[in-house]
């Protein structure tokens, strides 16, 4: 989905499978086309076509969707192939949280995915199966937030539905009934996203869809969890569309799978084939959320497994509709203005009055029902209530609870093993001996004492380190310590730097290392007496003895060739080929550089920057410019022999900006004119980087190259590339080759760049395939960045590009950096993830390290740890500052060790776990088929939760009284601090990189893969789970409370702001109040809003001012400038917006949150059985 720069769309969880026809839906009143066509391989990423696949219309209620996430073979339930997993613990109350969804009985066996169904269950069997489910509300547990059904020592029995409704997180009754979805409509005519030139990287979709019941042309069997619009019913009994001919109930077969089980209490071998699969998980309400009241009417809820009733449902009252959609409580926003007596969103995500059955509409289909299209269906059987999404863990509620509990008091780092506030919470940090969570976040703050325990839990042990992170104004940046010519004090054996973990002995004359226990003499100049507690009397005066983060001034011994470094240089390489000039990029860059050169990085804001600059333009040849201050006009020198690159001039190429300002400005004025009429379309790329490298070598300094590049380098030169984009490889075992560089040329070049301290930042402006996987090798390996502006249009993308460029030039950074992570005895750093180069197993080398870059580090046990001493880690980064000073930045972190699994699960952070899992998975794509990567993630997540379920969810820990040794398997019990692991993991699985839609290009996937490799935890959080704010009342300085990422949460009368980390979407409902529209857009009518605007008008009213402040605030928090896109309801661009509603199904088959939770429960049960 091209939105100028590929956004992180929530890609499908699995591709559509055979037999699952997906009808087209159109919103009320027509609007955008919404066909759901068959998946037939990715279409070209840049072809105009009807929007399709990036988001859906109203969630289908009547049709089954298939998921191919698990379509090709059973999930591995043993140790996962990708063993290095990381857990990202979120700080929550240390309580186990048993899950039980309204006490449905889940005692039946759970066969492994995928299943092979040789016979379709009869309706009588389905009736019996459904009537055996129990729907009731479980009691509150004594252990805090819990999800457990009522304890019972009796085996499950077949009984009628109880009257209690599924419990909910909120305090209002859940929906009493579902309303039928809107009728299928004929696919609308294909429409391009924009009229005129190629779209600004909007994502394109196939232009047609099959009839609603047409089977998909794919051979993989269904293997995903049931869609959320289905009743919460057996997870694997799904319906297939049949080929022409009247199928009989016993004829349905599912290829490549095993027979379904018979409903029975214990698992005993291969199940018979006549009964639907196991039931989904049950949830009991957590202690702090009162269970909802049962519905007022007795008997089963009004869902039918056959065709819908022949009379339309009477429209419920307003209060009923609101209760059906958003139960009041923590998760519901205030009533939206502008409804004017209209209808709020229905439960299925549609807008308007709930509708009865429509002509030609097959009605909802549920497990056990055959898909006969709109024809007659079997006799209705008793059915089950749809799971209320409010009854499962809410990310918004967890975020709000953390803010309420942890934003008021400063977070002090003096307590070892303390879990910090979430990244979504605004908090102040006071450094008291451990590094701030802005520098280091761990997946677990209480790690297992033994390797066996770590292996059993499968919780990854890792830290995400951001060495040069920017701190808010109210926090003090690390102090700089200068020990003179002697340099920093270090341990003699392990070379760890002096830190608060060193123990001084013998009156202060020696110290014992906290990492390796070696005893080292204290140098005479560093000696100090000890007080009565054994601490040095100057402890509080020395940052290295009292703080977790600080810097040392490095001596000449820490410099390359034992020589103090020169200040760094910036070299700008501007592509002046036909495409670059025509798009307006060359003119914009030249005009901006004239002012941007005044803002080169410096440590003292009042002093001039010492960074020198140089300029080169290129197409098939390179043009170097002499801008020496003594010249009246710049001089051009052309190097046409690009096969053997050399620097044609030394004096006058790298200059001081202030000395040569007049010559530089003259050059920047002339470049657009010189190449205005160029017809050269071919470019080189490898020689450009070689030229910059040679210039830095000649100047004997480190530096950064800024490349502004537009096309695939096909000119004859080193590093020449060919177009290898092959959509047929997507989804095959050869897909990994698309993420690998075409040749070893750029890998070797990046090694030379790192040795010189030459960092490369690449700004891409492609109109077609440019092989980002290969062009990005040097930027990623040197600690640089890649920025991508597909279909760059000067008027629409200028602001985003210039803001990115300004921040990239100005942000603090270090050069020629080396990072090493030391640990105490018992664990060691074994793997590293990020944008860097490694020539050995311990040193992370970065030609450039800026304030946005992170390095994820995985740890493994090599010995047993002690609960008494805990574990220590020290990250030391040696770098050259932008002023040319060599420094050492040191971050220290101490965590606890535990011998009980419960202690581990109480002190994890889910956001960091997800950050690590995604980096591990994205890197694995280079060598592993995508399906294997996805399966491994699911399996490891299931093992983490199954270990907790088995070892930490005993009756006592779950707050239950039971005659059995553990709660029934029908419960899904999640750790309190990991209860969001399933929803966040599902977002990773649906991301474009791991599960692309047909409209996602290979370049876009490679770009996102590289982008995530160095993301910090706060950015990866919003990248995978975007922030959705209702813009109702913007009074005061606080933000409105976010709502969950689902179409069901949108009100037709509201306006919403969605932040994805790369984009901002302003969604405007069709019934938004005139006053609201006037305050935001200056126009009272919906039809007059310009959907192409990229900035809001500056209106003189408090609402407009506050909204623009919020947008500016969001942008300031991210490393990339987020372009604003206005999305009108039922407009074409709404498909893009909906793609980021990650709790819903994705158009190509990705599971909804509800469905994936059901699938995870099935995986856990398989592991436990």
């Amino acid at each position: 989905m091209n939105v100028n720069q590929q956004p992180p769309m929530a890609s499908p969880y699995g591709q559509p499978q055979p037999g699952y026809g997906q009808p087209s839906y159109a919103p009320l009143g027509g609007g955008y086309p919404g066909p759901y066509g068959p998946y037939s391989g990715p279409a070209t990423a840049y072809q105009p076509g009807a929007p399709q696949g990036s988001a859906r219309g109203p969630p289908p209620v009547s049709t089954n969707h298939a998921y191919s996430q698990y379509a090709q073979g059973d999930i591995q339930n043993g140790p996962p192939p990708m063993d290095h997993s990381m857990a990202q613990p979120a700080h929550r109350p240390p309580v186990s949280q048993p899950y039980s969804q309204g006490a449905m009985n889940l005692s039946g066996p759970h066969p492994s995915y995928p299943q092979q169904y040789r016979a379709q269950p009869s309706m009588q069997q389905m009736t019996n199966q459904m009537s055996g489910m129990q729907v009731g509300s479980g009691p509150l547990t004594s252990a805090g937030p819990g999800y457990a059904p009522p304890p019972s020592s009796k085996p499950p029995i077949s009984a009628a539905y109880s009257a209690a409704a599924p419990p909910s997180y909120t305090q209002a009754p859940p929906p009493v009934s579902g309303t039928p979805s809107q009728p299928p409509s004929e696919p609308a005519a294909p429409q391009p996203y924009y009229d005129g030139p190629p779209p600004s990287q909007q994502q394109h979709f196939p232009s047609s869809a099959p009839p609603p019941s047409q089977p998909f042309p794919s051979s993989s069997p269904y293997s995903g969890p049931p869609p959320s619009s289905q009743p919460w019913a057996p997870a694997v009994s799904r319906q297939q569309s049949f080929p022409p001919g009247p199928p009989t109930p016993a004829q349905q077969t599912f290829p490549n799978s095993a027979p379904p089980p018979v409903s029975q209490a214990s698992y005993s071998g291969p199940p018979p084939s006549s009964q639907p699969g196991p039931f989904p998980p049950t949830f009991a309400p957590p202690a702090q959320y009162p269970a909802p009241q049962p519905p007022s009417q007795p008997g089963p809820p009004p869902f039918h497994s056959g065709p819908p009733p022949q009379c339309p449902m009477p429209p419920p009252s307003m209060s009923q509709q609101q209760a059906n959609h958003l139960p009041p409580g923590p998760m519901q926003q205030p009533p939206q203005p502008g409804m004017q007596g209209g209808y709020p969103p229905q439960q299925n995500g549609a807008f308007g009055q709930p509708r009865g059955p429509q002509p030609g509409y097959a009605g909802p289909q549920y497990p056990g029902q055959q898909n006969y299209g709109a024809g007659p269906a079997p006799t209705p059987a008793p059915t089950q209530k749809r799971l209320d999404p409010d009854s499962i863990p809410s990310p918004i509620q967890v975020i709000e609870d953390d803010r309420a509990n942890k934003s008021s008091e400063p977070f002090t780092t003096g307590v070892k093993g303390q879990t910090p506030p979430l990244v979504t919470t605004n908090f102040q940090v006071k450094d008291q001996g451990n590094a701030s969570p802005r520098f280091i976040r761990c997946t677990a703050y209480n790690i297992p004492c033994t390797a066996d325990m770590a292996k059993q839990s499968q919780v990854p042990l890792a830290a995400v380190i951001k060495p040069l992170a920017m701190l808010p104004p109210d926090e003090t940046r690390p102090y700089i310590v200068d020990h003179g010519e002697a340099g920093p004090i270090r341990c003699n054996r392990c070379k760890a730097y002096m830190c608060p973990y060193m123990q001084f002995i013998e009156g202060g004359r020696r110290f014992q290392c906290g990492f390796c226990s070696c005893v080292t003499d204290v140098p005479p100049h560093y000696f100090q007496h000890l007080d009565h507690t054994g601490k040095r009397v100057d402890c509080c005066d020395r940052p290295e003895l009292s703080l977790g983060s600080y810097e040392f001034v490095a001596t000449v011994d820490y410099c390359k060739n034992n020589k103090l470094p020169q200040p760094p240089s910036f070299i700008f390489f501007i592509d002046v080929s036909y495409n670059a000039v025509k798009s307006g990029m060359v003119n914009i860059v030249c005009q901006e550089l004239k002012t941007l050169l005044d803002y080169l990085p410096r440590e003292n804001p009042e002093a001039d920057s010492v960074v020198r600059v140089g300029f080169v333009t290129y197409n098939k040849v390179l043009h170097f410019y002499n801008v020496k201050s003594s010249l009246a006009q710049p001089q051009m020198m052309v190097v046409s022999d690009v096969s053997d690159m050399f620097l044609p001039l030394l004096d006058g190429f790298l200059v001081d900006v202030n000395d040569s300002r007049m010559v530089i400005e003259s050059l920047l004025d002339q470049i657009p004119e010189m190449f205005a009429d160029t017809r050269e379309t071919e470019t080189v790329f490898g020689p450009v980087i070689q030229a910059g490298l040679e210039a830095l070598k000649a100047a004997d300094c480190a530096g950064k190259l800024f490349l502004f590049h537009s096309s695939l380098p096909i000119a004859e030169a080193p590093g020449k590339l060919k177009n290898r984009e092959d959509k047929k490889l997507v989804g095959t075992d050869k897909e990994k080759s698309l993420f690998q560089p075409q040749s070893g040329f750029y890998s070797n070049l990046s090694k030379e760049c790192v040795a010189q301290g030459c960092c490369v930042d690449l700004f891409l402006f492609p109109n077609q395939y440019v092989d980002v996987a290969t062009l990005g090798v040097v930027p990623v390996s040197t600690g640089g960045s890649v920025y991508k502006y597909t279909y760059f249009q000067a008027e629409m993308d200028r602001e985003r590009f210039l803001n990115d460029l300004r921040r990239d030039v100005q942000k603090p950074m270090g050069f020629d950096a080396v990072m090493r992570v030391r640990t105490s005895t018992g664990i060691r750093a074994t793997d590293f993830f990020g944008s860097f180069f490694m020539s050995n197993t311990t040193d992370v080398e970065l030609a450039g390290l800026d304030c946005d870059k992170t390095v994820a580090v995985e740890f493994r046990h090599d010995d047993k740890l002690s609960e008494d001493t805990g574990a220590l880690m020290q990250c030391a980064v040696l770098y050259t500052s932008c002023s040319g000073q060599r420094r050492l930045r040191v971050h220290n972190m101490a965590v606890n060790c535990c011998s009980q699994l419960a202690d581990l699960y109480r002190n994890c952070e889910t956001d960091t776990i997800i950050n690590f899992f995604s980096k591990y998975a994205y890197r694995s794509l280079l060598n592993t088929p995508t399906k294997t990567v996805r399966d491994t993630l699911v399996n490891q997540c299931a093992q983490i939760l199954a270990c907790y379920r088995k070892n930490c969810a005993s009756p006592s820990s779950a707050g239950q009284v039971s005659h059995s040794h553990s709660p029934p398997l029908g419960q899904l019990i999640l750790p309190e601090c990991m209860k969001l692991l399933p929803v966040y993991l599902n977002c990773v699985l649906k991301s474009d990189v791991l599960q692309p839609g047909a409209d996602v290009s290979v370049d876009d996937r490679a770009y996102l893969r590289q982008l995530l490799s160095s993301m910090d935890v706060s950015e990866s959080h919003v990248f995978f789970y975007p922030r959705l704010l209702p813009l109702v009342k913007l009074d005061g300085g606080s933000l409105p409370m976010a709502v969950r990422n689902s179409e069901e949460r949108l009100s037709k009368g509201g306006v919403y702001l969605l932040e994805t980390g790369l984009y901002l979407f302003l969604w405007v409902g069709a019934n938004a109040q005139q006053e609201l529209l006037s305050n935001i857009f200056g126009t009272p009518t919906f039809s007059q809003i310009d959907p192409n605007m990229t900035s809001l008008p500056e209106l003189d009213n408090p609402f407009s001012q506050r909204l623009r402040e919020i947008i500016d605030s969001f942008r300031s928090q991210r490393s990339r400038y987020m372009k604003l896109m206005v999305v009108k309801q039922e407009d074409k661009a709404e498909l893009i917006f909906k793609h980021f509603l990650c709790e819903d199904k994705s158009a190509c088959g990705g599971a909804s949150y509800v469905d994936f939770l059901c699938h995870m429960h099935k995986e856990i049960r398989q592991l436990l059985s």
Side-chain angles (χ1 to χ4, degrees):
M1 160 180 312
N2 298 325
V3 194
N4 294 33
Q5 178 175 340
Q6 174 59 23
M9 298 168 31
S11 296
Y13 173 68
Q15 302 299 346
Q17 300 304 317
Y20 285 83
Q22 294 176 317
S24 306
Y25 288 85
L28 300 177
Y32 63 85
Y36 290 83
Y39 177 75
S40 55
T44 172
Y46 307 113
Q47 72 178 27
Q52 195 260 340
S54 70
R56 53 187 180 79
V61 172
S62 66
T63 186
N64 294 311
H65 289 250
Y67 307 91
S68 71
Q69 167 75 13
Y70 314 98
Q72 302 165 12
D74 293 344
I75 294 297
Q76 297 179 347
N77 290 328
M82 288 173 19
D83 193 38
H84 322 303
S85 48
M86 290 325 344
Q88 193 176 20
H91 189 182
R92 319 276 194 282
V95 204
S96 68
Q97 183 148 326
Y99 272 102
S100 67
Q101 177 54 34
M104 276 184 277
N105 195 322
L106 296 186
S107 59
H110 280 220
S112 62
Y113 267 87
Q115 294 295 330
Q116 178 109 7
Y117 293 92
R118 297 301 179 191
Q120 168 75 8
S122 68
M123 289 312 299
Q124 182 59 43
Q125 289 169 324
M126 193 63 227
T127 301
N128 296 340
Q129 177 80 11
M130 298 294 285
S131 64
M133 300 181 192
Q134 298 175 356
V135 181
S137 181
L140 300 179
T141 69
S142 62
Y147 308 84
S152 172
S153 59
K154 298 179 182 179
I157 59 173
S158 294
Y161 285 89
S162 68
S168 163
Y169 267 98
T170 58
Q171 301 178 4
V176 173
S177 65
T179 53
S181 174
Q182 300 185 32
S185 63
E186 292 301 320
Q191 300 179 26
Y193 273 112
Y194 298 114
D195 299 321
S200 304
Q201 187 156 342
Q202 295 284 12
Q203 197 145 352
H204 303 296
F205 310 92
S207 58
S208 63
S213 62
Q214 175 179 341
F216 285 94
S218 171
S219 59
S220 303
Y222 163 78
S223 59
S228 63
S229 58
Q230 298 286 359
W232 194 252
V236 293
S237 88
R238 313 263 11 101
Q239 288 306 121
Q240 299 268 13
S241 297
F242 294 94
T248 64
Q251 285 176 343
Q252 183 183 19
T253 61
F254 289 69
N256 303 329
S257 54
V262 170
S263 190
Q264 55 191 19
S266 61
Y267 188 82
S268 57
S273 60
S274 62
Q275 199 69 357
F279 297 117
T282 63
F283 297 83
Q288 69 266 36
Y289 304 117
Q293 299 303 316
S296 56
Q297 69 272 24
F303 263 105
H304 300 274
S305 62
Q310 293 307 306
C311 59
M313 297 173 56
S317 68
M318 192 66 172
S319 61
Q320 285 174 328
Q321 291 179 23
Q322 288 173 341
N324 284 350
H325 176 54
L326 284 176
M331 278 311 305
Q332 182 181 358
Q333 72 233 37
Q336 303 297 331
M339 285 190 180
Q340 301 170 353
Y343 296 93
Q346 299 176 22
Q347 183 162 328
N348 61 9
F351 293 98
Q353 179 173 354
R355 303 178 169 214
Q358 305 295 327
Y361 174 50
Q365 290 181 345
Y366 303 117
Q369 175 197 349
Q370 305 240 27
N371 184 356
Y372 291 103
T379 306
T383 55
Q384 186 177 345
K385 192 179 195 54
R386 175 181 181 268
L387 176 71
D388 180 9
D390 284 332
S391 64
I392 56 181
S394 161
I396 305 303
Q397 192 61 52
V398 170
I399 289 170
E400 290 298 325
D401 289 347
D402 192 78
R403 282 179 181 157
N405 296 331
K406 298 185 179 179
S407 61
S408 55
E409 295 295 325
F411 176 73
T412 55
T413 68
V415 180
K416 182 173 70 173
Q418 185 180 202
T419 309
L422 299 182
V423 291
T424 48
T425 299
N426 290 324
F427 60 98
Q428 184 184 14
V429 179
K430 290 190 175 179
D431 187 342
Q432 294 183 353
N434 279 317
S436 163
R438 308 193 200 285
F439 294 122
I440 301 180
R441 279 189 176 265
C442 299
T443 57
Y445 290 84
N446 203 335
I447 66 176
C449 284
T450 65
D452 290 342
M453 185 176 165
K455 184 176 181 181
Q456 180 186 7
S457 73
Q458 286 293 311
V459 174
L461 306 179
V464 178
I465 305 173
K466 194 176 182 182
L468 300 185
M470 294 287 289
L471 299 180
D474 59 349
E475 295 179 21
T476 306
R477 60 165 296 169
Y479 291 99
I480 300 176
V481 179
D482 189 352
H483 286 310
E485 296 181 0
I489 313 298
R490 306 177 68 178
C491 169
N492 277 345
R493 180 195 291 165
C494 70
K495 303 301 180 186
Y497 293 92
M498 180 58 64
C499 67
Y501 314 137
M502 303 299 188
Q503 181 66 45
F504 287 87
I505 56 177
E506 298 181 15
R509 288 186 293 274
R510 308 176 82 187
F511 68 89
Q512 185 174 24
C513 177
F515 296 88
C516 68
S517 300
C518 176
V519 175
T520 303
D521 292 333
V522 174
H525 72 273
Y526 196 69
F527 172 80
Q528 186 56 268
H529 294 286
L530 308 183
D531 63 14
H532 65 285
T533 65
K535 290 186 176 181
R536 287 172 54 120
V537 296
D538 64 348
C539 174
C540 295
D541 299 328
R542 290 190 176 272
E544 71 273 23
L545 299 180
S546 57
L547 300 179
S549 300
Y550 43 87
E551 287 195 339
F552 291 117
V553 175
T555 62
V556 70
D557 298 331
Y558 293 85
C559 301
K560 193 179 297 183
N561 302 324
N562 287 333
K563 191 168 69 174
L564 292 174
Q566 299 290 322
S569 298
F570 285 0
I571 309 178
F572 299 90
F573 292 86
I574 305 171
D575 177 356
V576 289
S577 64
Y578 175 78
N579 286 336
V581 173
K582 183 181 178 183
S583 70
M585 179 270 286
V586 173
N587 186 59
I588 291 174
V589 169
C590 291
Q591 293 306 310
E592 176 64 21
L593 286 180
K594 288 194 290 186
T595 57
L596 191 56
L597 294 179
D598 289 328
Y599 298 96
L600 295 174
R602 67 203 74 194
E603 290 193 277
N604 182 356
E606 298 177 2
D608 292 335
S609 174
V610 296
V611 175
R612 293 178 295 167
V613 296
F615 302 89
V616 178
T617 57
Y618 68 95
N619 39 50
K620 283 201 309 186
V621 298
L622 275 72
H623 321 104
F624 294 80
Y625 296 95
N626 185 344
V627 285
K628 194 173 182 180
S629 58
S630 57
L631 296 175
Q633 287 292 323
Q635 297 176 348
M636 175 197 287
M637 304 185 73
V638 180
V639 176
S640 56
D641 183 8
V642 293
S643 60
D644 185 16
M645 182 50 58
F646 64 96
L647 188 67
L649 74 161
L650 292 176
D651 188 27
F653 179 65
L654 293 177
V655 298
D656 181 88
V657 173
N658 292 325
D659 293 344
S660 301
R661 180 174 300 278
M662 298 301 294
V663 188
I664 291 174
E665 291 190 355
S666 174
L667 169 65
L668 295 174
D669 285 335
Q670 292 177 36
I671 287 177
E673 299 173 5
M674 281 191 289
F675 299 99
D677 299 323
T678 183
R679 286 284 175 256
E680 184 57 67
T681 58
E682 293 186 352
T683 59
V684 296
F685 188 76
V688 177
I689 299 176
Q690 289 176 327
L693 179 61
E694 292 300 320
L696 295 180
K697 284 181 177 178
D700 192 23
C701 68
K704 183 189 279 193
L705 313 183
F706 296 84
L707 270 65
F708 305 93
H709 190 77
S710 66
S711 59
L712 190 71
I714 57 174
E716 284 299 328
K720 173 185 176 181
L721 301 179
K722 62 181 180 180
N723 189 332
R724 57 169 181 163
E725 186 176 31
D726 187 356
K727 296 295 179 62
K728 295 177 183 177
L729 297 182
V730 176
T732 70
D733 287 351
K734 294 183 179 179
E735 182 180 16
K736 59 190 177 186
S737 64
L738 299 175
F739 297 108
Q740 299 166 350
Q742 285 192 29
S743 68
F745 172 82
Y746 289 101
S747 299
N748 295 331
L749 181 57
S750 62
K751 185 176 181 179
E752 295 180 45
C753 288
V754 171
Q756 181 57 39
C758 172
C759 176
V760 178
D761 279 358
L762 176 60
F763 293 80
L764 285 171
F765 305 85
N767 290 334
Q768 56 189 357
Y769 177 75
V770 291
D771 199 352
V772 175
T774 302
L775 295 187
V777 167
V778 177
V780 168
S781 300
T782 59
S785 304
V786 179
Y787 300 83
K788 186 165 174 282
Y789 312 90
T790 308
Y791 295 129
F792 179 80
Q793 296 178 6
E795 65 278 6
M796 296 187 65
D797 301 303
R798 175 190 181 103
E799 183 182 15
R800 179 163 66 105
F801 163 55
L802 290 182
N803 277 278
D804 284 342
L805 177 59
R806 289 165 189 157
R807 192 178 193 282
D808 197 59
V809 170
Q810 298 176 32
K811 63 187 175 185
M813 68 176 299
F815 299 90
D816 209 3
V818 180
M819 181 178 111
R820 179 174 288 193
V821 177
R822 294 176 172 86
T823 55
S824 56
T825 304
I827 58 171
R828 59 190 172 88
T830 58
D831 209 351
F832 301 85
F833 303 82
S835 297
F836 52 76
F837 179 82
M838 293 189 74
S839 57
N840 56 46
T841 59
T842 57
D843 293 337
V844 175
E845 300 177 49
L846 304 109
L849 175 63
D850 62 48
C851 58
D852 299 323
K853 294 294 186 296
T854 65
V855 176
V857 186
E858 184 178 15
F859 301 99
R860 293 291 178 89
H861 287 77
D862 56 12
D863 203 349
K864 188 174 181 179
L865 297 172
S866 164
E867 287 188 79
D868 297 331
T869 58
L872 309 176
M873 69 183 78
Q874 183 182 80
C875 167
V877 182
L878 177 66
Y879 70 99
T880 301
S881 71
C882 54
S883 62
Q885 188 179 45
R886 200 69 172 155
R887 291 186 188 157
L888 273 159
R889 177 165 291 199
V890 180
H891 298 295
N892 303 288
M893 175 66 72
V895 297
N896 289 323
C897 296
C898 59
S899 57
Q900 299 295 322
L901 284 168
D903 294 328
L904 165 66
Y905 282 101
R906 272 192 206 100
N907 293 277
C908 293
E909 200 197 355
T910 305
D911 292 319
T912 312
I913 293 174
I914 290 297
N915 180 281
F916 177 82
F917 271 161
S918 59
K919 289 176 179 178
Y920 189 91
Y922 282 18
R923 190 183 70 175
S924 299
L925 290 176
L926 293 173
N927 306 301
T928 310
T930 308
K931 180 187 179 300
T932 304
V933 174
R934 292 197 304 261
D935 290 352
T936 301
L937 281 178
V938 173
N939 185 259
Q940 182 158 1
C941 179
Q943 292 204 40
I944 291 171
L945 299 178
C947 176
Y948 176 81
R949 176 71 175 76
K950 179 179 180 180
N951 298 285
C952 307
S954 64
S956 58
S957 69
Q960 302 179 32
V961 178
S962 174
H963 297 292
S964 60
H965 292 292
S966 63
L969 282 182
Q971 301 173 20
L972 173 60
I973 302 181
L974 303 179
E976 173 63 20
C977 69
M978 280 193 194
K979 61 185 178 185
L980 298 183
L981 187 61
V983 61
Y984 289 162
L985 185 73
N986 190 35
C987 295
V988 176
L989 293 170
K990 296 199 297 183
S991 65
D992 287 337
V993 178
L994 289 182
Q995 196 161 35
D999 44 303
V1000 180
S1001 71
V1002 173
D1003 270 352
D1004 290 330
R1005 295 176 69 196
Y1007 165 73
L1008 291 176
R1009 196 189 74 81
Q1010 295 170 355
L1011 179 64
L1012 185 98
S1013 68
S1014 58
M1015 264 191 191
D1016 70 3
V1017 180
S1018 62
E1019 296 214 325
S1020 66
H1021 175 271
V1022 76
F1023 180 89
F1024 289 117
Y1025 194 92
R1027 173 162 52 167
L1028 181 62
L1029 292 183
L1031 302 179
V1032 187
K1033 294 182 179 179
L1034 301 182
D1035 300 334
S1038 60
L1039 291 174
M1041 182 173 169
V1043 296
R1044 292 169 66 169
N1045 277 351
S1046 173
E1047 188 178 358
E1048 292 185 356
R1049 310 291 169 169
L1050 300 178
S1051 164
K1052 198 171 184 178
V1055 178
Y1056 296 80
L1057 184 66
L1058 180 76
E1059 179 200 11
T1060 73
L1062 294 179
Y1063 284 89
L1064 288 169
F1065 293 92
L1066 191 65
W1067 184 88
V1068 185
N1071 289 350
Q1073 261 184 352
Q1074 291 185 3
E1075 181 184 2
L1076 190 62
L1077 298 182
S1078 296
N1079 284 341
I1080 297 175
F1081 302 104
T1083 176
T1085 59
F1086 178 81
S1087 59
Q1088 292 179 353
I1089 298 173
D1090 179 12
N1092 294 320
M1093 68 171 62
T1094 56
S1095 61
L1096 296 178
E1098 297 185 9
L1099 305 177
D1100 188 16
N1101 67 74
F1103 194 97
S1104 173
Q1105 293 170 359
R1106 177 62 182 145
L1107 177 55
R1108 284 181 279 115
E1109 287 174 4
I1110 290 174
I1111 291 174
D1112 290 342
S1113 171
F1114 282 8
R1115 285 171 170 163
S1116 68
Q1117 296 169 19
R1118 307 296 169 206
S1119 61
R1120 310 269 170 139
Y1121 184 85
M1122 294 184 291
K1123 177 182 176 181
L1124 178 68
M1125 296 183 63
V1126 175
V1127 177
K1128 298 167 68 175
Q1129 185 183 353
E1130 300 178 8
D1131 199 5
K1132 293 173 291 187
E1134 191 178 34
L1135 288 173
I1136 306 166
F1137 169 80
K1138 288 181 179 178
H1139 194 93
F1140 296 99
L1141 302 180
C1142 56
E1143 288 197 23
D1144 296 336
K1145 291 190 194 76
S1146 53
C1148 298
S1152 68
Y1153 174 20
V1154 169
D1155 301 338
F1156 184 70
L1157 196 62
C1158 176
H1159 176 72
M1160 284 305 305
H1161 183 232
K1162 179 180 177 297
E1163 292 291 312
I1164 293 167
R1165 290 189 56 171
Q1166 286 182 343
L1167 291 173
L1168 294 177
S1169 62

